[in-house]
Amino acid sequence: MAQEKKKYTLEEIDALKAWFDQQKLPESMQITSSAFSPDLKETVAHLFEQAYDCYENPKMTGSIRILEIIKNNLEKNNI
């Protein structure tokens, strides 16, 4: 059975952006076991560009999910 894809709202993206705007990001991050960002600030900026362009399309929410993973990593490591 296929998993239903979440559709995000503009308010959810704005709230996530506001959270990131309040953070001091590390220079780099191992986001997942297979995804590394050598310039996390630039990566986050690009992910938000895509998130704002594609948030209404449930098939294009990968950037938002990656932003949520980065947020969880930062919270987990108290960064």
Side-chain angles (χ1 to χ4, degrees), residues 28-44:
S28 63
M29 177 185 279
Q30 186 72 44
I31 300 168
T32 67
S33 61
S34 60
F36 175 77
S37 171
D39 186 343
L40 189 60
K41 186 175 181 179
E42 188 71 18
T43 298
V44 167

Side-chain angles (χ1 to χ4, degrees), residues 3-78:
Q3 182 181 3
E4 184 176 330
K5 297 190 185 294
K6 178 175 173 32
K7 185 174 179 182
Y8 291 86
T9 65
L10 183 57
E11 291 78 20
E12 289 173 307
I13 306 305
D14 286 342
L16 189 59
K17 177 80 167 84
W19 185 90
F20 270 94
D21 287 346
Q22 298 300 313
Q23 308 307 308
K24 182 174 182 342
L25 300 177
E27 185 175 320
S28 63
M29 177 185 279
Q30 186 72 44
I31 300 168
T32 67
S33 61
S34 60
F36 175 77
S37 171
D39 186 343
L40 189 60
K41 186 175 181 179
E42 188 71 18
T43 298
V44 167
H46 287 296
L47 289 168
F48 271 109
E49 285 179 28
Q50 185 176 359
Y52 277 109
D53 286 342
C54 302
Y55 72 92
E56 293 180 300
N57 183 345
K59 294 180 180 181
M60 296 294 293
T61 58
S63 59
I64 302 166
R65 289 194 305 272
I66 294 169
L67 286 164
E68 290 174 338
I69 291 169
I70 293 169
K71 179 183 178 196
N72 288 337
N73 289 347
L74 292 170
E75 290 175 331
K76 181 174 65 176
N77 295 314
N78 296 316

